[in-house]
Amino acid sequence: MAEIGKTVLNSGWLAARSTDVDLTGVQLTTTHPPSGPSSPWMTAFVPGTVLATLVENQVLPDPFYGLENKSIIDIADSGREHYTFWFFTKFQCKLAVNQHVDLNFRGINYSAEVYLNGYKKVLGKGMFRRHSLDVTDILSPNGQNLLAVIVHPPDHPGKIPSSGGQGGDHEIGKDVAAQYVEGWDWMTPIRDRNTGIWDEVSLSTTGPVKIMDPHLVSSFFDDYKRAYLHATVELENRSGWVAECSLSIQVETEVEDNICLVEHLQTQQLSIPPGARVQYSFPEIFFYKPNLWWPNGMGKQSLYNVTIDVDVKGYGESDMWNHLFGFRKIENYIDSATGGRLFKVNGEPVFIRGGNWILSDGLLRLSKKRYQTDIKFHADMNFNMMRCWGGGLAERPEFYHYCDVYGLLVWQEFWITGDVDGRGDPISNPNGPLDHDLFMLCARDTVKLLRNHASLALWVGGNEQTPPDDINAALKHDLRLHPQFENGNGNFSLMEENSLMSGADPSQYLDGTRVYVQGSMWDGFADGKGNFTDGPYEIQNPEDFFKDNYYKYGFNPEVGSVGMPVAATVRATMPKEGWKIPVFKKLDSGYVEEVPNPIWEYHKYIPYSKPGLVHDQILQYGTPNDLDDFCLKAQLVNYVQYRALLEGWTSHMWSKFTGVLIWKTQNPWTGMRGQFYDHLLNQTGGFYGCRSAAEPVHVQLNLATYCLEVVNTTSEQLSDVAIEATVWDLEGICPYYNVHERLTIPPKKTLTIAAMKYPESENPKPVYFLLLKLYRMSDYGILSRNFYWLHLPGGDYKLLEPYRMKKIPLKITSKVSSQGNAFEVVMKVENTSKKPNLENQLDKNSFCHKDVNGDCDDNTHNNQQASFFQKINRCFSRESNSSRVVEINGADVGVAFFLHFSVHASKKESKEGEDTRILPVHYSDNYFSLVPGEIMSIKMAFEVSPGVTPRIRLNGWNYDDDLTVL
């Protein structure tokens, strides 16, 4: 007897090109199954794509390395048959009487025929739809089943113009599929157009009655003190007799690690006629003061486990479904003060600071582990929203799971883009895909797949374009709001509450709780009218972000810039020809043009100069000598650029702006633009610039006015706080020290405190450091710390070049805990150089406790409320627990500048260009600087492969000896 529930079929697959297989699907699944990975069969990457399988088996080179993608034949030249593949596997499944089993495909691109034990099933077209096949009657009596799937590429894969372009020749827009695959100005073309079984394959075993697509909705009254859980479910009776059912819903919450409390249990009795499919809504379940789900930086991400179970009389448990559910209410509307779209969660306005997201990997090698790293990185940057761009994916439930856990609101677009669906070069077809009914089928199915996630905040019709009129009208109708969510504030009168509760149950809607906006530049985004008023996408003067005339509209859905990775990533992803840095070509205008090598150009490098507008930002630090020098200086610029972008936007919080989304946070391949971490999962300096700027409570310098500002995005007033401002020169002298005391910062406010007196004082230094600390006066607990390097107007940072010769003494105390292959390391770094006799008492950096979002243990339901490092602390048995002190001697006094840790595999010898890094690593901070006397603790967590010993290195502006500190 098979166990009730889902069995994932994610291993044991084989693949072969269809033209290399002389057998039919019937033969493959009866008399002539492949015996193993021998020609033409190879081990298959499922879930994944044809190209992922070919690369994994080294049939093709890595298309993301150097210029190798050019050597791979494009589907436009090979024909669709070249990328039409068979996928084969075996599985065990033997049913008992009255059991039923479905074979489920959560995503196939683009169409397929399925053969099981000699029987054929044809799957409909469309990349973004689920397929569920009742295979009960065709399972093998002996339990050994043979499954073969032939997968066909998109019907209109298109051609890639010699000039490249946004979405190639736009033919892919005729299909309901991801559009980025024909290439973009940030992406190389994907040669197989992502053909394959790209998402989960599973078997679901049930008894006579099956549960389908439950919908959970929370509603609030009395200022969020009273809440109701609404639940509607579809039930199908697959038996030939009336099913007498006991249908139950249980809601539980974790009160301590692995200890759960059942909050509610409700059971209903119902009869389902034979062969019938019915919809059933539970009576509303009442909660008093439930734990609410909040976005990152606003509170905890409380999640309840909801289980729906159906028992059938005379049979027993027939089916069960469960989901983590967050009680929260998301509203958004056009703000009258700014014209931007304003988001509220649980009645509190949220100033949006987030990023645009395409997908994890261009070959769709998607995994739960990768998703967890991706989403946690965004939370680490203090972001609170991710926009799933319309040319990419309808993201997967695993993506949304981690957005739920880490508090990232999600704006999900459907599969329309301006370049492919109405504009572009050549001009594209504005009527969207050829099959509008298929588009809507995929859209409705996607809504059902994702709608129960707390993080899902907004549906949008398309990127820089609206869907065709009929699709747009259908989406507006299907995604209309339930009356309770049209303009509710969680504070209804009793009469209003009774009226709303007596109407249609909100869980009976397709969604009913989230606003639908027709396009990314409409209705409160950009100019609100669909004109090209997002962007720009290039290097900027940092001070410009703060100016009143920088951006006219209230919410910018896309503004982008540079994203050079570190040198180790360049060496790991390119041959030596790609290690050459750009040629700096000085123009008659005095500006410099960067000319990158052909490999960088292929990988979409964005220059650090914009002749006529922005002088080269890397050359401000001196002409780079080699790749390492160039990349280090690029990280300085990355940090400054993105910190200034977010600080500039936050400087105008609510007065001019309601939010901003950066284009983009990462690349689904080894691209060299618009990213905060690279495809290998190494963070750039921009990552930590964002992390600093997007703190919920933040002290900053307005680079346009040189005024000190305090940002308070929380709902709590800050009282009796102070700012300490210190200036340090390159000789280690502190020429300026000032404290602004007894400040009160209102909630949801950016407050200007005072103008900086330096550098207006006598004899200002041409290059200097500024350290700002916002602290509580009661105990000197630091709420925010922000470190700047600055030059006088019209100057540059070239004096920092000789500063690299300074030898600043450091003391580094390390504490290491490990369990198995997982490590937690705390590095306490102290600048031990002698400091001037100042009255400040903040040099120890005693940071206040903050509610940070934690890590997720999939065995529990709500332990994400604990801090990431606290969580690791609890689970470590101290299998290894060691500490070490390293002293770095130096006779100089001054700032230890731009320090950064990296983790490596310990090797006695390594080849030139060999990448020894251990990735990913979660750092509490990096690319940090310490003034004389300062101490900072840096926490890091990572995993190593079995048998690998990690080593931690420290580098910095004036530490270039690759010092090993562990």
Side-chain angles (χ1 to χ4, degrees), residues 797-815:
Y797 294 112
K798 290 179 181 175
L799 285 176
L800 285 175
E801 193 67 37
Y803 191 70
R804 299 175 84 159
M805 304 306 295
K806 289 269 191 179
K807 297 298 179 185
I808 309 298
L810 294 179
K811 179 180 179 182
I812 304 168
T813 305
S814 61
K815 183 177 181 181

Side-chain angles (χ1 to χ4, degrees), residues 478-628:
D478 288 0
L479 295 173
R480 66 194 184 279
L481 292 176
H482 182 276
Q484 191 171 327
F485 295 87
E486 286 179 352
N487 197 26
N489 58 8
N491 198 26
F492 295 102
S493 68
L494 184 59
M495 184 178 296
E496 289 172 319
E497 177 182 348
N498 289 336
S499 175
L500 289 166
M501 295 295 284
S502 64
D505 190 301
S507 63
Q508 294 173 2
Y509 280 52
L510 180 63
D511 184 328
T513 68
R514 298 172 180 91
V515 168
Y516 167 75
V517 174
Q518 59 186 334
S520 67
M521 300 190 300
W522 278 260
D523 304 324
F525 299 121
D527 74 348
K529 300 174 183 178
N531 297 303
F532 276 109
T533 47
D534 48 7
Y537 306 92
E538 56 205 5
I539 192 75
Q540 302 289 305
N541 294 307
E543 62 273 15
D544 288 350
F545 292 115
F546 294 84
K547 294 177 180 177
D548 289 337
N549 62 353
Y550 180 70
Y551 187 72
K552 296 179 181 179
Y553 309 105
F555 194 120
N556 194 340
E558 296 183 15
V559 56
S561 191
V562 292
M564 185 68 196
V566 300
T569 293
V570 176
R571 292 192 176 96
T573 57
M574 296 179 183
K576 281 191 174 181
E577 309 91 82
W579 303 359
K580 298 176 181 177
I581 65 175
V583 174
F584 296 96
K585 181 180 176 184
K586 190 160 185 178
L587 306 178
D588 293 339
S589 62
Y591 286 87
V592 169
E593 178 186 356
E594 288 184 20
V595 182
N597 68 63
I599 299 179
W600 284 26
E601 199 162 20
Y602 191 77
H603 286 253
K604 314 295 186 177
Y605 173 77
I606 286 186
Y608 284 72
S609 62
K610 183 67 176 175
L613 293 174
V614 182
H615 284 287
D616 195 284
Q617 298 290 289
I618 285 179
L619 291 182
Q620 284 198 94
Y621 296 90
T623 304
N625 303 315
D626 53 23
L627 180 65
D628 291 285

Side-chain angles (χ1 to χ4, degrees), residues 211-217 229-235 247 249 278-283 308 321 451-452 504-509:
I211 296 172
M212 294 177 294
D213 292 323
H215 187 197
L216 307 177
V217 173
L229 176 64
H230 309 263
T232 294
V233 63
E234 287 187 55
L235 300 165
L247 182 66
I249 182 169
V278 301
Q279 179 177 287
Y280 180 79
S281 296
F282 286 92
I308 297 175
W321 175 92
R451 63 189 177 185
N452 293 312
D505 190 301
S507 63
Q508 294 173 2
Y509 280 52

Side-chain angles (χ1 to χ4, degrees), residues 867-906:
S867 127
F868 177 56
F869 294 104
Q870 287 174 339
K871 185 66 190 172
I872 290 179
N873 247 338
R874 287 202 300 270
C875 72
F876 271 90
S877 62
R878 298 298 182 258
E879 180 180 300
S880 171
N881 194 334
S882 61
S883 59
R884 180 185 177 192
V885 177
V886 173
E887 301 263 4
I888 300 174
N889 296 321
D892 293 313
V893 176
V895 172
F897 184 50
F898 217 54
L899 303 173
H900 49 280
F901 286 108
S902 56
V903 184
H904 298 257
S906 180

Side-chain angles (χ1 to χ4, degrees), residues 275-454:
R277 179 182 291 193
V278 301
Q279 179 177 287
Y280 180 79
S281 296
F282 286 92
E284 299 87 358
I285 302 175
F286 175 71
F287 291 78
Y288 183 68
K289 291 185 177 179
N291 297 323
L292 299 180
W293 183 93
W294 292 96
N296 187 32
M298 294 183 69
K300 294 180 179 178
Q301 288 73 54
S302 299
L303 294 170
Y304 291 76
N305 190 45
V306 179
T307 302
I308 297 175
D309 188 280
V310 60
D311 278 29
V312 176
K313 186 177 181 180
Y315 178 83
E317 184 182 44
S318 182
D319 201 4
M320 188 269 288
W321 175 92
N322 73 316
H323 201 282
L324 290 178
F325 180 76
F327 281 91
R328 93 289 179 268
K329 184 173 185 178
I330 296 176
E331 305 164 77
N332 61 89
Y333 53 85
I334 298 175
D335 176 42
S336 58
T338 62
R341 187 157 287 269
L342 190 152
F343 287 79
K344 285 186 175 181
V345 176
N346 304 329
E348 295 283 346
V350 184
F351 188 72
I352 298 297
R353 292 175 293 186
N356 286 266
W357 169 266
I358 316 301
L359 67 160
S360 277
D361 177 70
L363 301 189
L364 300 187
R365 295 166 293 195
L366 310 178
S367 70
K368 201 168 185 180
K369 189 171 185 179
R370 174 86 184 206
Y371 272 134
Q372 182 175 14
T373 298
D374 281 319
I375 306 309
K376 188 176 190 309
F377 274 177
H378 286 74
D380 287 346
M381 286 188 283
N382 292 310
F383 283 175
N384 54 27
M385 178 175 277
M386 298 171 72
R387 172 194 171 210
C388 294
W389 175 74
L393 299 183
E395 265 301 355
R396 301 297 87 197
E398 291 78 11
F399 171 93
Y400 277 91
H401 167 75
Y402 287 112
C403 287
D404 292 346
V405 166
Y406 293 118
L408 276 298
L409 297 169
V410 184
W411 151 344
Q412 178 68 63
E413 280 175 8
F414 295 105
W415 317 285
I416 296 288
T417 67
D419 295 282
V420 175
D421 298 294
R423 293 193 283 265
D425 181 18
I427 296 296
S428 54
N429 171 28
N431 202 35
L434 295 178
D435 190 337
H436 289 198
D437 289 338
L438 174 60
F439 186 100
M440 285 307 304
L441 185 153
C442 291
R444 294 181 184 111
D445 195 59
T446 295
V447 173
K448 290 180 179 180
L449 178 68
L450 304 176
R451 63 189 177 185
N452 293 312
H453 287 279

